[in-house]
Amino acid sequence: MQCFFRRKPFQHFPPLIKFALTKRNTNHIKMKTRLLTFALMMSAVGTYAQTPEYLPTWQEGYLDIHTIATGRGDAALIVMPDGTTMMIDAGDNAKAKDTQHPDASKMPGEWQAIYIKHFLSQLPDKENLDYAMVTHLHNDHIGTAKDMIPGEHGFGLSGITQVGSLLHFNTFVDRGYPDYDFPSRGKVLGADKGFIEEYMKFVNYSAANGTDAQKFQVGSNSQFTMVNDPKKYAKSFEIRNLCANGEVWTGKGKKSVKMYSGDPLLFDENMNSCAIRLRYGKFSYYNGGDLSGGNWPLYKSQERDFETPVAKVCGKVTVMKANHHGYFDTCNAFFMQTLSPKVIVIDARSENHPVASTMTRITDPQVWRGDRDYYITVDQSREKLGEKLWSNFKPWGHIVIRVYPGGNSYQIFVLDADTTDYRVKYKSEIVTL
């Protein structure tokens, strides 16, 4: 049987039906055209949405605080409002189980230097770092002998020594220079076995080649000052040294007192951490390395709550880097209540950063009140924390706190730690203080 639709589709239908079918066919064509146009528009929107966004270039008056994510140790870069630069820590724990970012093609110290150079290149006339400071002498803050490679100047390269071989430090500060004898020379040498000697060689080499090496001065607000235009920001910007080597600022002048009464030889190295408070206008930031806030059966000293006396002289801050990566012995209730940060940053390098008990405490409104946001550098702790606790965090990566001119507002950017162009993967709203 022949199908008449193939030759003249409408010839056997009455006029009204022919009109309806013709109209339907026309509408169908119009609909297909509209869908095609919509699809092309959405494709264009999708292409536009996929165009990478980058951190806007630093401008004079901005304060930028970068927490650099490698997954192997702490590292931070501060760009002050006049362009003065400061690095805090550059660690490498060399633990293969801790995933390295962006990948393992380079050592963490190399990645840290590449990151810093990228952002230094956006500043006028900046090739050197004005300041480098290490909070204490553990491998995840200064480097390790495990994966160390030979250097050209008589010291091994890992962490801070590797960054220092690729970037010149104008001023270098740590807790022990030049004697490294608190609480004893042997205790210092044991803090990072096999690498401390290499580290000391690096510091001495740097001091002999143009670097001003110094010991961290507890109570000082003049050790880390602006070098480009200090007068312009003299009333609005300050970095105060809060504690180191078991001593804490009294809150008056540059005086300090001991935070312990027993034997400092019982301390672990974390207890000697250097802590600072940075202020710019209404904005403030705390970084205390791995300072402890409570006792822990693993250690002999039972005077490990150094967070409480530090909190008393620090006061409220806008942003806090969690002590000791949010481990068991940190972020005690008094410390959190006193600092009352709006933002908590966890520089992580382990599945135990932070531990669930600490994360539960710092997210508990009964422990301390107020709205707050949580940021973390890597996602290794996600499984152990569980999705309920993990859901408190913004997307992980390099964390950049940008404080706008005058220090009365800030915004936070998270940069992709698995790319080398540092594209933005998250940005907050601008917060007015």
Side-chain angles (χ1 to χ4, degrees), residues 71-124:
R72 294 293 181 87
D74 281 27
L77 169 68
I78 297 174
V79 183
M80 301 178 200
D82 75 334
T84 299
T85 55
M86 178 178 178
M87 183 182 70
I88 301 177
D89 292 331
D92 179 2
N93 67 352
K95 292 184 179 179
K97 68 177 182 179
D98 293 343
T99 304
Q100 184 175 311
H101 301 279
D103 57 45
S105 65
K106 300 181 187 298
M107 296 174 67
E110 292 179 273
W111 285 126
Q112 291 158 356
I114 289 169
Y115 183 99
I116 291 170
K117 283 185 174 183
H118 174 83
F119 288 100
L120 287 187
S121 70
Q122 300 178 6
L123 304 176

Side-chain angles (χ1 to χ4, degrees), residues 95 97 140 268 270 289-296 298-299 304 307 320-332 345-362 381 384-385:
K95 292 184 179 179
K97 68 177 182 179
D140 57 334
D268 54 289
N270 291 339
D290 284 0
L291 200 69
S292 181
N295 295 328
W296 197 10
L298 176 65
Y299 297 108
R304 301 187 79 255
E307 284 186 339
M320 180 193 93
K321 175 194 170 290
N323 290 325
H324 200 191
H325 327 281
Y327 208 43
F328 292 104
D329 57 336
T330 62
C331 304
N332 70 42
V345 173
I346 295 178
D347 196 340
R349 58 151 188 81
S350 163
E351 62 181 6
N352 291 316
H353 295 164
V355 294
S357 59
T358 298
M359 192 63 191
T360 299
R361 181 166 57 255
I362 66 177
S381 63
K384 289 192 74 171
L385 283 178

